[in-house]
Every structure is written in C-alpha cells, then in structure tokens.
Amino acid sequence: MMDLVKLGGRIQALRLDRDLTLQALADAAGVSVSMLSSVERGQKAPTIVVLARIADGLGVPLTALVAPADDQRVIVRRAADQDVVDEPGGWQRAILTPVVPGVNFEWIRSTLPPGCDAGEFPAYAPGSHEFVSVHSGMLRLAVGERIVDLAAGDSVYFAADVPHAYANPGTEPCVYYVAALIMRSRAARSLP
C-alpha cells in the first residue's frame, strides 16, 4: 500500500527543488491545480496516469515518485533517459546526472559547433560553483570581465555568482563538461 503523505511529500520536494509553483507544475503535467494540491497534501490517491503526468511535468521517471525512500540512495540515469537539449545556434547540452530532490548538483555535457557563441548566462545565487573540463576542441569562457581560453584536457573552476559565457572560437566542435553546484534563486535559468 502506498503511503499518500510520503508520495505527496516527494512530489512537493521535487516541485520546490525546481522552483515551480503549483500552477506551473499543473500546467506542465496537464492536471488541475486542485488535483495536484490534493496529491501533495496526501489527501487524494492519484491514478497511475496522473502520476505519470506529474513525473513528466517534473522531468523525472515515474519510479522517482513511487519508489520507497531506501531505493533513492542509488539512482541510475540510463543514457537513453538523459535530457538532450538542442539550443539555438546549433549547440547541444545533455544533462547527465539523475535528479535528486534537494541536491542542486548537475553534470552536463555540451557540444558547441565551430564559431558558436552560447551566449551569456546570468549570475547564479551566491555560493554557486562551476567546474569545467574541455574534452575536445577550444572553449572561450568569460567569467565577469575575465576571458579564459581552454584547450582539450584543460579544466577550470569559477564561482558562478557572476555573469558567465561559453563560446567556441575554434574550427572544430568543442565538447566540454560542466559540474555545477547551483544555489537556486527564484529566477534561475538552465545551465549551459
């Protein structure tokens, strides 16, 4: 038998971790706000269809909502389940890490085509950190006013509480990895 209060708590924790309002998650999941609110409070048993919609709205597998807490100590994200986002300008990013409620860590693989500028990202909340490692190609990283050119095998750390930007000044694609601990503010944007 599923504990509805624990289920609701897991859903609410995932929603809050993503800085989503009830309305925003309800819209993303295609369920009513009243249904979502009742589920989060443990007052209503959702159908499997509703649970699947909520999981999709949160961007997590259904098992993240229904697995017992002990099963959450080891979370596997298979390659086929990784979120791959094609961005304007031809660059691509893949979020490699599983979603863990309450943990603001992300590991991302980005690929910038030759000459691509991924644009500037706003400062994250104080206490945010990024580690970048270039796998192949050339990466130009701007952190505040400082510009650092990186080649394959180079890595860098920076405090991500300042505006920062990524670009590929080279003639070959650039593949790089970002390990980020992002302290979320209410207006947080996706990572590069």
Side-chain angles (χ1 to χ4, degrees):
M1 181 91 182
M2 186 180 304
D3 183 327
L4 296 180
V5 173
K6 286 183 181 176
L7 171 67
R10 275 195 290 271
I11 292 169
Q12 185 179 53
L14 286 163
R15 177 176 63 80
L16 294 175
D17 186 57
R18 286 156 181 72
D19 291 325
L20 294 173
T21 63
L22 275 169
Q23 184 68 57
L25 178 55
D27 291 346
V31 299
S32 71
V33 172
S34 62
M35 168 61 88
L36 182 58
S37 178
S38 295
V39 170
E40 281 193 1
R41 291 190 317 269
Q43 296 175 339
K44 191 170 250 182
T47 65
I48 193 69
V49 170
V50 168
L51 273 179
R53 287 180 179 173
I54 292 171
D56 285 346
L58 289 167
V60 299
L62 180 59
T63 56
L65 302 184
V66 297
D70 291 345
D71 290 350
Q72 297 296 310
R73 292 187 58 82
V74 175
I75 301 171
V76 175
R77 185 170 208 177
R78 302 288 178 201
D81 296 329
Q82 293 171 0
D83 297 324
V84 177
V85 180
D86 291 312
E87 298 286 358
W91 65 284
Q92 183 183 76
R93 63 187 166 91
I95 301 168
L96 306 174
T97 45
V99 174
V100 180
V103 177
N104 296 328
F105 175 81
E106 293 179 286
W107 186 19
I108 299 163
R109 179 185 61 241
S110 291
T111 304
L112 296 177
C116 180
D117 185 339
E120 184 176 89
F121 292 82
Y124 295 117
S128 298
H129 308 275
E130 288 193 25
F131 298 84
V132 178
S133 178
V134 178
H135 178 72
S136 61
M138 299 281 301
L139 179 66
R140 178 162 290 150
L141 173 66
V143 179
E145 299 297 317
R146 185 168 178 192
I147 295 179
V148 179
D149 285 327
L150 303 163
D154 292 345
S155 61
V156 66
Y157 157 81
F158 65 94
D161 58 357
V162 296
H164 48 284
Y166 300 86
N168 177 0
T171 58
E172 300 292 324
C174 175
V175 176
Y176 64 97
Y177 292 87
V178 176
L181 177 62
I182 302 300
M183 307 315 293
R184 303 247 186 246
S185 65
R186 290 287 173 209
R189 179 181 165 188
S190 296
L191 291 174

